[in-house]
Amino acid sequence: MNLNAQDALERILSKAKAVGAQTADAMFEESESLSVEVFEGAVKNLERSDNVGIGLRVLVDGRPGYSFTERLTEEAIERCARDAVALSRFTDPIDIDLPLLSVGASGHDLDLIDPSAAEWTPDQMVMACLEAEEEARAADPRIHNVPHLGTTRSRGRMLLANSKGFRGSRESASVSFGIGVVARESEIDKMGWEGISWRNAANLAPKAMAQEAVSRAVSMLGAKPISPGKIPVVFDERVSGQFLGIFLGSFLADAVQKGQSRLVGKIGEQISVAGFSLSTQPHLKGMSGSKLFDGEGVLTHPRALVEDGVLRGFLHNLETSRKDGILPTGDATRSYTGKVSAGFSNLMVKSSTEVSKEKIFCAYPKILHVVKMEGSTACNAVSGDISIGVQGYLIENGCTIPVDRVSLSGNFFDILYKLEACGDRYRPGIHSSFVPALVFSEMSLAS
Amino acid sequence: MDAFRAARIIDLARTRGADFAELFVEETQFSSLLLRDRKIESATAGTEFGIGLRMIFGSQVLYGHTSREEEESLFKLVEDLAGARPRGRSHLDLGDPIDGKPLPEKLRSRAIHPGDPMLDGRMEAVRKADEAARAVSSKVAQVSATVLHRHSRIAIFNSEGLDASDDRTWTRMTVAVVAEDGGQRQTGSEAPGLRRGLEFLVDLDVQKLATVAADRAVRMLTAQPAPAGEMPVLIGNGFGGVIFHEACGHPLETEALRRKATPFAGRIGEAIAQPCLTAVDDGTIPDAWGSLDMDDEGSPTQKTTLIEKGVLRTFLSDRIGAAECGVPRSGSARRESYRYAPVSRMRNTFIAPGESSMDDMMRSMNNGLWAVRMGGGSVNPATGEFNFSVEEGYMVRGGKVEEPVRGATLTGKGHEILPRIRMVGSDLEFAPGTCGASSGLVPVCVGQPSILVDPILVGGRA
């Protein structure tokens, strides 16, 4: 018989102590979702998922051991506790103090759940897909296929507890809709995507999203390479977060402490243009990365890592903050299957020069507007070397032509100084990456 | 889960109108050990457990899964799925039942013991990798080494009376090395794995593995930025097969054909490549990382020839894909776990060895790029566009290998590149990998001999 969430957490912590752990923390997660996929006017797939799991970290003489189980029976939980303690003898010690304070009565409301999300019925979900497909096919005769079309509603719950008495929980729910269309002209296929998540279905606009996907696909027809050389580049807000994301590992204290970051020893120094700021924002209302406490139970707070171009700090968990001799910062990330790491809650980028994309396009005689990146594996996250295939538009003297089969190169830490402006908006919906369009004065383009 | 309880759940699904119903029961034990920065950073063990229920109505697939094994939870799952099912019904003949016949003994993978997560052999392996890599050069700045082990027991029951079970074990070691010199950093990695228990480590030459990875990282420190443009490229054996996997393998799955998202639709029997090219997907290679004894619908696995001397022969199919697309079943239904409905996926996919020697290919290439070792990449299966990075590459001039280059990417479209594979070498090698698609992450091998592609677009630094 399965134990409920609270009982399972209490049982695993007490069992861990009984078999030799001095301290321990445990995370319980459960999630439920329903998703529908439509192809050519008919439902192809309907999926319902229901997951539970509990993950344990023990410390035995400072040595961590990790285990998890998706079986929540008494026997499975006991085995999990014994495994974690047994595994701790392999690892090297770490120095951490688990937090004492419980969260829950803080009165903060992050709006992570809207009960109406659960009221979105399977029939309504199918209808949204059918409308979107019809809209997409009617929007342009060159739409040749709609291979990806689906919608999901999901909800989840997380509870964290430790042997010092910390107890915290978080619940969330969301709906999402995505469409991918293929436009064909002269035997050439181009794909256009749109996908957005919200807290409830009222905000979803399937027809508008279908039109957006169509216009993205159609506008790329006839794309070709342009001549190589140096060129100003604007990364659209659709991809700017993904682009920055390749290199953000350099802001992890763990990477810095292990010498795997070029930002080592640079706190207090200028690393980008004045006016540029980059921060972690855990308290944004309703966003995916929003949280009151982190993966180790430390209270979160908004914090700038780069302020006016100056490096102010790194992302820490308990282990790395102790090593650096600073107070815990509340950036720990964790899932029930994994070990503790660190990350942005919600990443936010701002610049003192925020302008609309239209103004950006007009401000340069020639600029490459990047809307799609194709694999980042030739980029080096540690050295900052950029070598990345992109698609987008060349905007030159008011004319726009689609561009593909080109690649951009440079170095991330160099181009931070070439940031000339930011766009004035973030991409819509709920997510955890608030990065506006980024304009760099110059990158190298190869074709 | 016993056969009687499974039958009661399947019966309820049939009563609710399903043409076909199936239960997939899985319990998987994981363990991993990670060394980084000379320390054992984590040791983890875990149990994944759940039951997947699939109900097919015509060509509509309903799938649900739960970690709760009480009968009431499963009855509720049937009712929830049946209740959520949209109206309307198509017809699809699923064809003959799966007979569940086991694979012949000589083709089966053999794990000596499923693996004790406490076995200390892993500690020695990761420590040895760290020492061996650091011994290569003082420029080695960082080493990480992991041993991952997974043991899965699955059972499949369906409404045609199938009652099949399987025991699957995988073990893999990865070594990643970062070399540094005057602000320049390069990485090298090796990651062998087999369908074996932890005894895999006993036969593994960890010293050599770590040395190869470290050597590559150090060697690439002196590399110059790669030039850009169209040129002939000699793609190295082993992991080089990742391009064929991504750009041609995925479009040859019925999962792509079902969505009309493949340039190969309607081309069976046509020449889509040069006569030097034969490509195979084989699930029957004993102990290989992507091998199966049976697939995740209970069908015996197979060796499937996809392209024979340049001519497209068939697609990789699961049961629904075969029925909908009118191609033979290939026993390729796969899923990461009980959380996913099975779809057609690759197993060990490779370009068969040809007759060209390295010298011939170098001479024929004359001036171009030798991509000895590929890194990762991505592909859009609906349009065929791909983009891969070169982890270790050299310029070739006048048929002679010259300086190492870094930052090169290979881009193009799978179906356009295929006919440009002009020469195929004889040095076939396999490399294990993890392939992600709609039914999750599954272990596969990619493989090929060295091949000459002429031309292909190389993205580098301007």
Side-chain angles (χ1 to χ4, degrees):
Chain A
M1 196 59 203
N2 280 345
L3 297 172
N4 70 34
Q6 277 90 0
D7 289 349
L9 279 173
E10 300 307 329
R11 180 58 55 91
I12 207 163
L13 290 175
S14 66
K15 187 69 196 172
K17 274 211 143 158
V19 296
Q22 281 107 16
T23 52
D25 59 3
M27 177 180 274
F28 170 92
E29 287 183 282
E30 103 190 317
S31 61
E32 246 183 60
S33 71
L34 182 72
S35 60
V36 169
E37 273 178 61
V38 164
F39 181 69
E40 295 190 341
V43 174
K44 273 271 164 192
N45 295 301
L46 184 145
E47 291 198 15
R48 192 183 182 290
S49 97
D50 174 11
N51 282 117
V52 289
I54 191 165
L56 174 68
R57 173 174 66 174
V58 299
L59 289 162
V60 183
D61 303 328
R63 296 172 188 274
Y66 288 89
S67 64
F68 69 89
T69 179
E70 293 178 353
R71 267 192 199 273
L72 298 186
T73 57
E74 300 251 1
E75 305 85 280
I77 278 174
E78 292 198 0
R79 175 182 175 165
C80 196
R82 280 196 310 273
D83 281 354
V85 169
L87 286 166
S88 68
R89 75 184 157 90
F90 290 114
T91 59
D92 288 291
I94 59 173
D95 182 14
I96 60 171
D97 281 328
L98 297 177
L100 299 162
L101 193 68
S102 282
V103 183
S106 74
H108 242 91
D109 181 9
L110 291 176
D111 292 341
L112 302 182
I113 194 156
D114 177 342
S116 72
E119 291 159 17
W120 203 27
T121 66
D123 282 344
Q124 289 170 322
M125 293 169 76
V126 171
M127 196 50 70
C129 291
L130 293 174
E131 278 176 8
E133 185 175 18
E134 203 173 311
E135 186 75 22
R137 289 188 187 273
D140 193 293
R142 291 166 293 180
I143 294 304
H144 167 73
N145 193 9
V146 185
H148 304 286
L149 173 58
T151 177
T152 299
R153 68 161 209 236
S154 56
R155 59 177 294 147
R157 184 162 71 116
M158 184 275 270
L159 287 84
L160 184 71
N162 73 29
S163 57
K164 295 256 186 94
F166 174 90
R167 300 291 180 272
S169 69
R170 179 157 65 235
E171 270 188 85
S172 65
S174 62
V175 299
S176 63
F177 184 90
I179 179 166
V181 306
V182 174
R184 176 173 286 186
E185 193 172 62
S186 332
E187 299 287 297
I188 300 288
D189 288 347
K190 280 289 169 190
M191 184 158 223
W193 266 100
E194 175 68 316
I196 308 184
S197 296
W198 297 99
R199 290 289 166 207
N200 63 49
N203 285 310
L204 284 183
K207 284 188 179 180
M209 288 170 67
Q211 285 167 2
E212 185 62 35
V214 168
S215 92
R216 288 176 185 178
V218 168
S219 67
M220 286 308 296
L221 287 168
K224 53 179 195 273
I226 50 173
S227 48
K230 308 273 189 204
I231 187 168
V233 175
V234 50
F235 285 87
D236 194 89
E237 67 267 13
R238 273 192 260 163
V239 294
S240 53
Q242 190 190 348
F243 174 66
L244 281 192
I246 302 168
F247 303 100
L248 291 179
S250 294
F251 287 92
L252 297 184
D254 184 59
V256 175
Q257 289 170 357
K258 291 184 168 122
Q260 296 303 298
S261 167
R262 274 186 48 179
L263 298 176
V264 62
K266 295 247 170 94
I267 286 188
E269 290 181 22
Q270 196 82 27
I271 63 160
S272 178
V273 290
F276 175 78
S277 77
L278 185 149
S279 61
T280 176
Q281 297 287 346
H283 297 167
L284 300 177
K285 293 273 183 192
M287 290 304 159
S288 340
S290 301
K291 56 186 83 152
L292 294 177
F293 59 92
D294 75 357
E296 293 178 303
V298 176
L299 292 180
T300 59
H301 53 96
R303 204 158 54 90
L305 300 186
V306 181
E307 203 174 24
D308 205 14
V310 176
L311 180 66
R312 292 293 176 205
F314 299 114
L315 296 165
H316 286 277
N317 54 34
L318 287 173
E319 185 187 351
T320 61
S321 59
R322 174 63 60 89
K323 264 190 204 159
D324 276 8
I326 61 167
L327 288 172
T329 56
D331 308 313
T333 57
R334 181 180 184 181
S335 74
Y336 73 87
T337 57
K339 69 184 282 281
V340 173
S341 179
F344 287 88
S345 296
N346 294 296
L347 162 70
M348 187 174 274
V349 164
K350 280 184 183 291
S351 153
S352 50
T353 318
E354 290 185 1
V355 288
S356 71
K357 270 190 292 189
E358 291 65 35
K359 286 206 173 124
I360 294 169
F361 298 153
C362 295
Y364 294 83
K366 183 166 126 177
I367 190 167
L368 181 69
H369 176 208
V370 173
V371 298
K372 189 166 186 286
M373 305 197 312
E374 300 181 89
S376 58
T377 52
C379 294
N380 187 320
V382 179
S383 67
D385 281 344
I386 302 165
S387 173
I388 191 162
V390 298
Q391 296 192 20
Y393 311 96
L394 177 71
I395 298 157
E396 191 171 12
N397 304 322
C399 289
T400 300
I401 60 161
V403 175
D404 66 2
R405 288 165 284 166
V406 297
S407 62
L408 289 174
S409 63
N411 185 284
F412 178 71
F413 299 100
D414 296 340
I415 68 164
L416 280 177
Y417 290 101
K418 294 183 179 170
L419 185 72
E420 295 212 318
C422 282
D424 59 356
R425 70 190 63 175
Y426 302 122
R427 66 191 171 88
I430 57 165
H431 50 81
S432 61
S433 175
F434 297 82
V435 183
L438 301 174
V439 188
F440 297 104
S441 56
E442 185 184 276
M443 288 184 78
S444 292
L445 180 139
S447 57
Chain B
M1 170 81 51
D2 60 56
F4 294 107
R5 195 201 289 184
R8 284 196 293 278
I9 294 150
I10 285 168
D11 282 349
L12 178 66
R14 292 280 284 151
T15 310
R16 292 292 172 268
D19 300 321
F20 173 87
E22 173 199 78
L23 282 174
F24 179 88
V25 187
E26 178 194 355
E27 175 149 6
T28 296
Q29 306 290 340
F30 287 94
S31 73
S32 73
L33 188 74
L34 163 66
L35 172 143
R36 213 155 63 105
D37 205 32
R38 298 179 199 259
K39 289 197 171 73
I40 303 292
E41 204 171 271
S42 78
T44 307
T47 302
E48 203 180 83
F49 170 77
I51 298 167
L53 165 72
R54 185 161 62 141
M55 294 161 66
I56 300 179
F57 294 75
S59 60
Q60 231 172 51
V61 178
L62 274 55
Y63 192 78
H65 66 85
T66 177
S67 297
R68 306 173 216 268
E69 63 178 325
E70 298 85 20
E71 201 158 313
E72 312 80 75
S73 304
L74 291 160
F75 283 148
K76 182 169 181 300
L77 186 57
V78 173
E79 300 288 6
D80 282 356
L81 281 173
R85 189 175 86 85
R87 287 164 293 278
R89 180 172 197 128
S90 53
H91 176 74
L92 180 70
D93 181 357
L94 285 173
D96 295 336
I98 291 166
D99 64 12
K101 217 162 44 194
L103 202 67
E105 193 57 40
K106 65 175 174 13
L107 297 179
R108 296 180 77 94
S109 295
R110 64 204 149 99
I112 293 173
H113 58 76
D116 173 0
M118 305 300 156
L119 193 81
D120 288 49
R122 301 178 305 160
M123 284 286 276
E124 291 145 26
V126 294
R127 294 234 185 262
K128 196 169 173 184
D130 185 55
E131 280 162 27
R134 289 183 190 275
V136 165
S137 162
S138 58
K139 290 172 184 160
V140 169
Q142 189 60 271
V143 180
S144 62
T146 60
V147 176
L148 298 166
H149 176 260
R150 187 173 167 198
H151 174 221
S152 243
R153 280 170 301 166
I154 60 158
I156 306 174
F157 305 94
N158 74 22
S159 53
E160 296 160 346
L162 181 78
D163 175 354
S165 60
D166 200 8
D167 220 62
R168 302 167 174 177
T169 307
W170 294 269
T171 306
R172 188 176 196 189
M173 176 157 193
T174 66
V175 181
V177 180
V178 180
E180 194 181 279
D181 192 15
Q184 184 58 241
R185 281 166 198 267
Q186 289 295 328
T187 55
S189 61
E190 287 291 316
L194 284 179
R195 275 286 312 272
R196 300 284 303 272
L198 283 165
E199 76 276 4
F200 160 71
L201 293 177
V202 176
D203 304 329
L204 189 67
D205 189 344
V206 174
Q207 176 93 26
K208 183 173 161 202
L209 193 71
T211 308
V212 167
D215 270 338
R216 183 178 313 123
V218 171
R219 200 158 51 237
M220 295 313 287
L221 282 173
T222 57
Q224 298 302 305
E230 279 209 327
M231 63 185 84
V233 176
L234 178 58
I235 304 175
N237 65 355
F239 197 64
V242 70
I243 297 185
F244 185 84
H245 168 102
E246 294 288 357
C248 303
H250 281 296
L252 290 174
E253 294 166 342
T254 51
E255 202 49 25
L257 191 56
R258 284 179 80 199
R259 294 169 192 272
K260 300 183 182 163
T262 167
F264 301 118
R267 301 193 61 188
I268 287 181
E270 285 181 30
I272 59 170
Q274 307 287 338
C276 63
L277 188 97
T278 291
V280 176
D281 182 273
D282 189 353
T284 69
I285 304 167
D287 299 345
W289 182 247
S291 288
L292 293 169
D293 291 345
M294 67 177 195
D295 79 356
D296 291 334
E297 292 180 310
S299 293
T301 192
Q302 282 186 13
K303 177 177 180 176
T304 310
T305 300
L306 296 168
I307 301 169
E308 189 179 7
K309 297 188 172 134
V311 177
L312 179 61
R313 288 295 172 214
T314 192
F315 285 75
L316 293 173
S317 65
D318 58 330
R319 196 163 175 190
I320 291 184
E324 266 188 29
C325 305
V327 300
R329 288 189 203 159
S330 66
S332 304
R334 300 190 69 185
R335 49 180 134 197
E336 175 182 334
S337 72
Y338 68 91
R339 295 183 188 205
Y340 298 87
V343 301
S344 55
R345 300 290 294 271
M346 283 173 269
R347 298 161 298 206
N348 305 298
T349 313
F350 60 95
I351 293 174
E355 285 160 3
S356 300
S357 70
M358 279 303 269
D359 284 351
D360 288 348
M361 288 191 284
M362 285 283 177
R363 257 198 308 276
S364 168
M365 171 160 77
N366 197 27
N367 295 320
L369 173 70
W370 182 24
V372 177
R373 170 128 176 147
M374 296 305 300
S378 70
V379 66
N380 180 339
T383 59
E385 294 163 319
F386 69 78
N387 184 294
F388 287 90
S389 67
V390 179
E391 189 176 285
E392 179 179 3
Y394 300 87
M395 294 317 295
V396 174
R397 291 186 196 85
K400 296 267 180 300
V401 179
E402 297 193 340
E403 78 280 6
V405 289
R406 64 188 159 88
T409 57
L410 306 185
T411 63
K413 293 181 183 169
H415 57 290
E416 289 174 8
I417 290 303
L418 206 45
R420 298 189 206 160
I421 299 177
R422 312 238 179 244
M423 296 173 85
V424 177
S426 55
D427 52 346
L428 171 65
E429 253 188 39
F430 290 91
T434 300
C435 166
S438 67
S439 64
L441 302 171
V442 300
V444 298
C445 272
V446 299
Q448 68 175 36
S450 299
I451 59 172
L452 179 64
V453 187
D454 186 12
I456 190 167
L457 185 67
V458 177
R461 280 151 208 270

